[in-house]
Amino acid sequence: RRDALVGCTPTAPDDAVCFDSFVTSFGRKAFRRPMASEDVARYRPVLAYALEDKNFYTAIGLVIQAMLQEPGFVYHVEKGVPVAGRAGVLRLNSFEVASRLSYFIWGTMPDETLLQAAENGELETPEQLRTQGERLMADDRAKERMVRFHAMWMGWHKLGEQTTLSAAMRQESEALIKRVVFEEKLDYMDLFTFDETYVTSELATHYGLPAPATAEGGWVSYGESGRGGILSHAAFL
């Protein structure tokens, strides 16, 4: 795992070529942008510790520790570039856009495909952004992020003791979000007016709704119950 992370085999404790290669590749992932030559040079003094320790990987360990404490890793640093003719207005560069897009949809750093798109100038137009956005949305991480957003927004992340009923409440809301947003790609407002809901037999009894096809869960109609959409869900209420 270490060799896969470093990506090269050192020829000496102070092998600067292998060291620079690691700093360049690891830094690009950690900071979500390319490493300039001066960025790489800033870490090179730690090679002295590797030479003293007669162990190249001493320097690698120190670089990782340093990078994971850098503000550029811990925070979303967005400096932008000035927009000509518009004083005080800054435009995000491609790597900052990639970072925003990835953290918004996945809740984590950009993958190699997105970083490469930024490097190639392929995040400049609405069409290019849509292409990458749709790619990210097709990943399971987008589903997890979407469910987490709604859970925090509507408060069911604070549901108390985990029982079969409370688990069914969470499952009901998650199923509706995934169906509307990902599976059928419906108008988002359908989330609030949907006339079916996903229930286990226990949750159906709790609501007074018809039992699903299987006790483990299924979609049932709200019928004349007066309920509809996610604001009728027990997880929210």
Side-chain angles (χ1 to χ4, degrees), residues 81-97:
V81 292
V83 176
R86 300 183 66 183
V89 177
L90 302 175
R91 182 177 186 270
L92 298 183
N93 66 38
S94 292
F95 288 95
E96 291 165 337
V97 169

Side-chain angles (χ1 to χ4, degrees), residues 23-60:
V23 171
T24 300
S25 62
F26 190 79
R28 184 172 183 267
K29 295 174 184 175
F31 303 134
R32 289 88 68 187
R33 61 170 178 78
M35 295 287 284
S37 56
E38 57 267 26
D39 294 328
V40 177
R42 195 158 55 87
Y43 292 96
R44 209 170 288 141
V46 302
L47 278 172
Y49 295 98
L51 191 60
E52 180 181 333
D53 207 26
K54 296 182 175 59
N55 185 350
F56 174 79
Y57 298 103
T58 296
I60 297 299

